[in-house]
Amino acid sequence: MKVNFSNVNLENIDKYEEKALAAFDTLMGRNGEGNDFLGWIDRPVDYDKDEFERIKKAATRIRENSDVLVSIGIGGSYLGIKAVDVACDSYFNSERKTKIIYAGHQLSGEYLVELLDYLKDKDYSLNVISKSGTTTEPAIAFRVLKEALEEKYGKEEAKNRIFATTDKAKGALKELANAEGYESFIVPDDIGGRFSVISAVGLLPLAVAGINIDEFMAGFADGREKYTNKSMENDAIKYAAVRNMLHEDGKDIEILLNYEPKLKYVAEWWKQLYGESEGKDGKGLFPASVSNTTDLHSMGQMIQDGVRNIFETVIEVENPSKDLTIKEDEQNLDGLNFLAGKTMSYINKQAMEGTAMAHVEGNVPNIRIKIDKINERNLAELFYFFEIAVGVSGYMLGVNPFNQPGVEAYKKAMFKLLGKPGY
């Protein structure tokens, strides 16, 4: 993975070097706010090997007896899984035996009714992911799906099809798992949800989906080796510094941009990571995303000519695994014969380069993150890069990057409206 800052004016970056390196020391020294949630830093090399093997064995059983695994979770218990699942799947004709379907990530009754209808003639299992077991969205989905599963298979068989990823010792879901005999995996105490795809939270459903979790963990280890050295040559530290420099220059919105549709949910995961980590105390850059060239025909006008408070971080896939060459057409009614002999990836790349040129000229700085191809290992390294960078960036902003106190505000208001006791 390579990061290119050539489309950013780095004239003032030296002013941010001392602050960025100090923030990195705070992160790696585990002496800043939120330091009890830094287990993800060493997780790529320091993880429970026995649980890892249990995950593989459980995934094999699920793949053997289920057409579908319903992954029940929200936020960090959903977005990282979905990001890797979508990125590593083919658009059409997937050869995966077991499909991952998501529930508990919203409160739509229509979605849940349609999901129940879809599952009627399928063999399926459930993986409920919740540290407490009482988070509203996944708790409702699990209550409904558990009832349907028990009606379909009977309680004894259903318990063999329910997998709980939860606290190691306490909480409503852990108590239920113990009482009912569900196989359980651990949500680590020292890893927050938005960082948790490296744990059983992500690894079990991804293994079921056919993701090579050995390669996935190796990618995180690659990231740990590359992005935990104290130097402005460390691209994660430099990215954090550049973000803060641009922010102080009035660039308050960062747009994560891709040219491969498979990366759409990587952007959704990234938005949670940065929004939840930095949006505190009236501070933080606003994380947004677009998918090009699609959004050049919708958001393109705003980005090119709107308020000049944005910059872009572009994820470039240098070597797509599949490609297509445009053929010459004798009639040429569409006027596209000038593209004959060129590949789609080449055309897409020129669209990216042309867009960058136009946007930089329009005062939208561009950071470029290049990955060789979309696979488990490269995605994991990318995730680790963003995680180190958000820790450094958050400390540079003067916030705790590892809590999310504002998330509770909507819950209090919602529970009051719903008449929950105590609210």
Side-chain angles (χ1 to χ4, degrees), residues 282-332:
K283 300 175 182 178
L285 290 100
F286 187 87
S289 64
V290 298
S291 296
N292 282 352
T293 60
T294 302
D295 287 333
L296 290 174
H297 297 263
S298 57
M299 291 295 290
Q301 177 63 42
M302 173 61 76
I303 295 170
Q304 186 68 50
D305 288 337
V307 180
R308 299 297 78 190
N309 62 345
I310 58 178
F311 69 97
E312 293 175 321
T313 298
V314 183
I315 302 177
E316 175 186 351
V317 180
E318 295 190 283
N319 296 297
S321 58
K322 296 169 185 166
D323 210 349
L324 185 71
T325 301
I326 304 301
K327 297 178 182 179
E328 187 163 350
D329 183 84
E330 187 175 332
Q331 292 182 299
N332 195 31

Side-chain angles (χ1 to χ4, degrees), residues 340-371:
K342 295 181 173 64
T343 64
M344 287 287 291
S345 62
Y346 174 82
I347 297 166
N348 201 25
K349 184 175 177 62
Q350 302 321 303
M352 179 184 65
E353 298 294 351
T355 302
M357 290 169 61
H359 287 183
V360 171
E361 187 176 333
N363 193 22
V364 179
N366 266 237
I367 299 166
R368 186 81 61 87
I369 298 172
K370 298 182 179 183
I371 63 173

Side-chain angles (χ1 to χ4, degrees), residues 24-75:
F24 180 77
D25 280 340
T26 299
L27 176 67
M28 299 306 294
R30 277 79 160 174
N31 53 20
E33 287 189 294
N35 58 48
D36 47 346
F37 287 99
L38 298 179
W40 55 271
I41 292 177
D42 292 327
R43 186 79 176 193
V45 294
D46 183 17
Y47 60 94
D48 186 334
K49 309 302 190 296
D50 290 336
E51 183 185 55
F52 194 78
E53 291 306 313
R54 273 204 309 121
I55 286 169
K56 290 182 182 178
K57 289 176 182 175
T60 298
R61 293 201 308 274
I62 295 168
R63 287 165 64 86
E64 286 173 350
N65 70 11
S66 299
D67 305 308
V68 175
L69 174 68
V70 183
S71 178
I72 304 171
I74 194 167

Side-chain angles (χ1 to χ4, degrees), residues 25-246:
D25 280 340
T26 299
L27 176 67
M28 299 306 294
R30 277 79 160 174
N31 53 20
E33 287 189 294
N35 58 48
D36 47 346
F37 287 99
L38 298 179
W40 55 271
I41 292 177
D42 292 327
R43 186 79 176 193
V45 294
D46 183 17
Y47 60 94
D48 186 334
K49 309 302 190 296
D50 290 336
E51 183 185 55
F52 194 78
E53 291 306 313
R54 273 204 309 121
I55 286 169
K56 290 182 182 178
K57 289 176 182 175
T60 298
R61 293 201 308 274
I62 295 168
R63 287 165 64 86
E64 286 173 350
N65 70 11
S66 299
D67 305 308
V68 175
L69 174 68
V70 183
S71 178
I72 304 171
I74 194 167
S77 301
Y78 158 66
L79 285 169
I81 305 164
K82 179 90 171 182
V84 180
D85 179 25
V86 171
C88 292
D89 199 7
S90 63
Y91 297 116
F92 312 104
N93 302 321
S94 173
E95 294 180 358
R96 293 181 180 177
K97 179 186 182 299
T98 304
K99 183 178 179 64
I100 310 299
I101 290 184
Y102 299 88
H105 56 294
Q106 28 73 356
L107 287 170
S108 169
E110 184 172 343
Y111 179 95
L112 202 50
V113 169
E114 290 180 354
L115 175 56
L116 288 167
D117 188 59
Y118 171 81
L119 293 172
K120 281 179 182 176
D121 61 349
K122 305 286 193 302
D123 280 318
Y124 66 100
S125 296
L126 307 178
N127 176 207
V128 55
I129 308 166
S130 175
K131 190 163 181 61
S132 66
T134 59
T135 303
T136 307
E137 293 89 342
I140 289 174
F142 181 53
R143 175 181 285 203
V144 172
L145 288 161
K146 174 176 172 288
E147 180 183 15
L149 191 77
E150 289 176 347
E151 286 181 0
K152 183 180 180 74
Y153 294 104
K155 195 160 185 176
E156 191 62 29
E157 172 60 16
K159 77 176 185 182
N160 296 321
R161 292 175 172 270
I162 296 175
F163 299 82
T165 307
T166 189
D167 190 89
K168 64 183 177 183
K170 63 182 186 299
L173 182 55
K174 180 60 178 174
E175 289 178 15
L176 180 66
N178 287 344
E180 299 291 336
Y182 306 152
E183 183 165 5
S184 297
F185 299 93
I186 296 173
V187 177
D189 290 333
D190 58 354
I191 300 179
R194 54 194 179 273
F195 297 83
S196 66
V197 72
I198 194 175
S199 72
V201 169
L203 296 177
L204 176 60
L206 291 176
V208 173
I211 301 300
N212 184 330
I213 61 173
D214 289 294
E215 278 293 290
F216 193 55
M217 291 297 286
F220 277 106
D222 292 342
R224 182 178 177 275
E225 184 174 346
K226 289 179 66 173
Y227 305 120
T228 55
N229 58 302
K230 184 182 176 181
S231 166
M232 288 304 288
E233 297 302 308
N234 177 338
D235 283 332
I237 299 176
K238 191 171 183 179
Y239 172 60
V242 169
R243 295 178 78 250
N244 279 266
M245 179 190 74
L246 292 170

